[in-house]
Amino acid sequence: PKTDIVFLKVHKSASSTVMNILFRFGETHNLTFAFPSGGGNQLFYPNHFLAKFVQGFSPQSPQRFNILCHHMRFLQPEVEKVVSRSAIYFSILRNPVQLMESSFAYYKGASAFSRAHSLEEFLSQPYHFYDPTSSDRHYARNLMTFDFGFNPDGDVSAERVRHMLNAIEASFDLLLISEYFDESMVLLKETLCWDLDSVVSFPLNIRDSRTKSQLSDAIVEKIKDWNRLDWEIYTHFNRTFWERIHRDIGRERMQREVQALRERQAELARTCLQGTGSVAPKDIKDSSLRPLQHGSAKILGYNLKQGLDEETELKCRRLVTPELQYSSALYKRQFPQKLP
């Protein structure tokens, strides 16, 4: 199994669920994490990543960490200072149309969105609301482009897009697609030589579907146009994702693997969870399992079954612990002498 991993946690792209998978694997295999110094939950985002942002990094004793997975703005020469040269680099992408709809709800407080009553209003005259010089502009335009380290307001010439795609391909071993999450996890499992149980998950940091808005065709086209760089990244790597599946796994085996993954997740849900799955924040009984609520989004969580044996309880709890609580617990474990 591969234990040296860089995960670029792109915003609003099922990345909290992937992070939980990495947290669980790291915890059970006693691996070290490149935590934000001081135990925060982002690596001084939205600044480009610097090695000095990592707790315990020192240029004099270049300690390498196994897993780098907290939010950052990618800058490979600095990342290489804190992880092994053999680390596997991967990320996950999301259709920019759904990404923008999600960002508008989740980052409603961002300067570009705060005065717009709806996404439609924002897109009808974006430059009325959007200021390219504001420090939080990236939430409102080409968010994936920004997270990968590029300029979200850059021009969209064919040459520049090609340069950007080539740079991403040169840095990353694997790009997953959140719309095909189960297929992505099978591909991740194969790439990292992990077993099935290491990539099972319950969806984390997800919104109540009642807070999601339906988008007209006209709005969809406006979103693609406004996020043209993200659209180019997504369509290119969606294509290479399927090419890779055909080449390395094949359709039939992929279907069998996805089936096995879903059956295992259903079995774990029956073992671990009360009721049928995720519940509204007000219905989560254990306060330590309540996810952070943000913007106008309602973030769902889980209730564990009562009376589980100790080992099962621990396994189930790891699966449903929200990102901030899990990160904090792992930080305390790795740096017992420091208080986050």
Side-chain angles (χ1 to χ4, degrees):
K2 304 277 196 298
T3 54
D4 293 312
I5 296 160
V6 173
F7 172 52
L8 179 62
K9 188 174 186 289
V10 169
H11 287 75
K12 313 312 315 148
S13 303
S15 55
S16 294
T17 308
V18 177
M19 195 181 200
N20 176 272
I21 287 169
L22 296 174
F23 279 168
R24 284 174 5 234
F25 187 87
E27 184 177 15
T28 52
H29 292 80
N30 246 340
L31 304 179
T32 57
F33 290 89
F35 283 108
S37 67
N41 56 347
Q42 299 194 340
L43 288 151
F44 296 83
Y45 186 87
N47 298 297
H48 271 106
F49 176 80
L50 296 174
K52 68 178 185 184
F53 295 162
V54 173
Q55 180 79 53
F57 172 79
S58 139
Q60 288 75 38
S61 66
Q63 184 197 350
R64 300 283 189 231
F65 298 89
N66 297 116
I67 299 177
L68 175 60
C69 63
H70 287 71
H71 274 308
M72 64 170 160
R73 189 172 183 209
F74 189 66
L75 186 61
Q76 190 165 4
E78 288 291 315
V79 168
E80 286 171 346
K81 294 177 185 176
V82 299
V83 295
S84 141
R85 292 182 71 135
S86 62
I88 298 278
Y89 286 67
F90 81 100
S91 186
I92 188 163
L93 307 172
R94 184 181 185 185
N95 186 314
V97 175
Q98 280 70 49
L99 179 63
M100 178 106 195
E101 189 275 331
S102 175
S103 295
F104 187 80
Y106 201 80
Y107 302 114
K108 192 69 186 77
S111 55
F113 290 153
S114 59
R115 290 179 298 116
H117 294 107
S118 64
L119 188 52
E120 287 84 337
E121 187 186 359
F122 174 82
L123 290 160
S124 66
Q125 42 177 352
Y127 282 108
H128 176 69
F129 301 103
Y130 179 83
D131 176 0
T133 63
S134 74
S135 61
D136 62 357
R137 75 192 193 286
H138 50 282
Y139 292 121
R141 187 178 202 190
N142 289 316
L143 181 50
M144 293 191 287
T145 300
F146 183 87
D147 285 354
F148 276 96
F150 303 101
N151 176 8
D153 295 302
D155 78 271
V156 288
S157 65
E159 188 186 0
R160 184 169 183 281
V161 167
R162 193 169 61 245
H163 169 76
M164 184 173 70
L165 296 176
N166 288 345
I168 294 171
E169 262 172 353
S171 298
F172 287 83
D173 299 285
L174 181 64
L175 286 144
L176 305 174
I177 303 291
S178 66
E179 284 78 13
Y180 304 103
F181 192 81
D182 293 341
E183 290 85 352
S184 291
M185 291 306 100
V186 172
L187 208 48
L188 183 66
K189 171 174 85 78
E190 297 284 307
T191 305
L192 298 176
C193 306
W194 288 7
D195 62 9
L196 181 70
D197 263 21
S198 296
V199 297
V200 297
S201 62
F202 297 145
L204 295 176
N205 204 25
I206 52 165
R207 258 195 310 159
D208 187 331
S209 57
R210 285 170 302 210
T211 66
K212 294 179 182 176
S213 45
Q214 293 301 309
L215 305 171
S216 68
D217 292 350
I219 291 293
V220 166
E221 290 310 313
K222 280 182 178 174
I223 293 176
K224 286 184 197 172
D225 202 44
W226 176 246
N227 297 281
R228 178 58 55 188
L229 293 172
D230 271 11
W231 185 250
E232 295 287 352
I233 290 175
Y234 179 77
T235 51
H236 175 82
F237 288 109
N238 187 21
R239 192 179 71 248
T240 60
F241 174 80
W242 291 105
E243 285 168 1
R244 183 165 184 157
I245 286 173
H246 284 302
R247 188 187 72 224
D248 295 355
I249 297 179
R251 257 308 149 89
E252 285 181 14
R253 181 156 85 86
M254 177 54 88
Q255 283 174 342
R256 288 198 304 274
E257 295 266 1
V258 164
Q259 185 65 24
L261 179 66
R262 288 176 181 165
E263 283 170 6
R264 181 66 181 128
Q265 281 172 179
E267 186 188 335
L268 281 165
R270 287 192 297 272
T271 302
C272 295
L273 303 179
Q274 284 181 31
T276 52
S278 52
V279 296
K282 64 178 174 42
D283 298 325
I284 301 168
K285 298 182 181 80
D286 182 341
S287 60
S288 70
L289 296 179
R290 277 193 199 125
L292 174 75
Q293 300 300 313
H294 205 84
S296 62
K298 258 205 180 73
I299 307 299
L300 305 177
Y302 297 92
N303 285 317
L304 291 180
K305 273 189 178 158
Q306 302 295 299
L308 298 171
D309 66 79
E310 204 175 328
E311 191 184 340
T312 308
E313 216 273 345
L314 179 61
K315 183 182 204 165
C316 293
R317 183 168 284 277
R318 283 173 173 156
L319 277 160
V320 301
T321 298
E323 172 187 328
L324 300 190
Q325 288 94 308
Y326 208 154
S327 181
S328 173
L330 291 174
Y331 178 86
K332 286 175 192 160
R333 192 174 105 152
Q334 192 167 311
F335 300 104
Q337 72 285 13
K338 291 190 184 297
L339 283 172

